[in-house]
Amino acid sequence: MLDEPSENRERVGLAHDAYDRHRRYEEDDEDFEIEKDKTQSLSSEDEVYKSMGRTIFEYARVILIGVLVAVLLLAFVVVNAQVPTSSMVSTIPVGSRLFGNRVIYYFSDPERGDIVIFRTPNPADEGELYVKRVIGLPGETVRISAGEIYITTVDGEEFHLVEDYLYEEPNQADLANNQTVVLADNEYYTLGDNRNHSNDSRSWGPVTRDRIIAKVFFRYYPGFRIYGDDD
């Protein structure tokens, strides 16, 4: 049988061992909690990055779709044009920005009075977009006498074209306002509404059908205006 001091020492030793084990358990628990916190922190950061990635992807997708839609619209539905001169005053002010309807001419041909956007045959601006009014149609004869327009149709009937849209009376003495043109089967005669200050078919001839792109239907600068058959 152990004496009292030995028993005490043994009890103290066991108590120390138990204490050490308890501390180790506590340290292990603390390490576990630290690792757990680190894991949770990394997981939260991952979620933030994933959320940011998803947001960026959505914005990029919306922008890409918007660009594609705009490209398709400009290529097949509308055309954007600017009128830098006074040739169409007062119907279209100087510096106007316009939209033209491409679709309408997929299914029909330009009509007399249409304000059209076309690629000019003018050698000085070959291929540039011009905006003028259709005066003569394919197969017709356009006679200009002292600024007045006379049309002979394909049926042989002649009539005087009333032009309420003119900005001012054409200069009767101008040689450009005294000529006769016979249009081919695919040609259109186009003139500006500001007849005395317009570079048009009187100077560089008719416009072929394949050059006519769209019919003007909307002005978005300066101000807003919708153009119809009465303009």
Side-chain angles (χ1 to χ4, degrees), residues 38-65:
K38 288 182 179 178
T39 300
Q40 290 177 343
S41 178
L42 290 174
S43 178
S44 297
E45 290 179 1
D46 289 342
E47 287 300 320
V48 170
Y49 289 132
K50 287 180 181 179
S51 177
M52 290 175 61
R54 285 192 295 268
T55 301
I56 293 172
F57 174 77
E58 286 300 321
Y59 277 119
R61 188 164 69 95
V62 170
I63 292 172
L64 179 60
I65 292 173

Side-chain angles (χ1 to χ4, degrees), residues 155-168:
D155 296 327
E157 297 181 3
E158 185 181 72
F159 65 91
H160 172 240
L161 183 64
V162 178
E163 299 184 282
D164 296 333
Y165 42 74
L166 291 182
Y167 179 62
E168 59 187 7

Side-chain angles (χ1 to χ4, degrees), residues 4 6 18 27 45 52 58 88 93 101 104 107-108 118 126 128 141 148 163 177-178 184:
E4 189 66 25
S6 296
E27 290 175 355
E45 290 179 1
M52 290 175 61
E58 286 300 321
M88 286 298 292
N101 179 359
I104 190 171
F107 306 101
S108 63
F118 58 93
E126 173 62 39
E128 292 293 320
T141 297
E148 298 293 324
E163 299 184 282
N177 291 325
N178 292 274

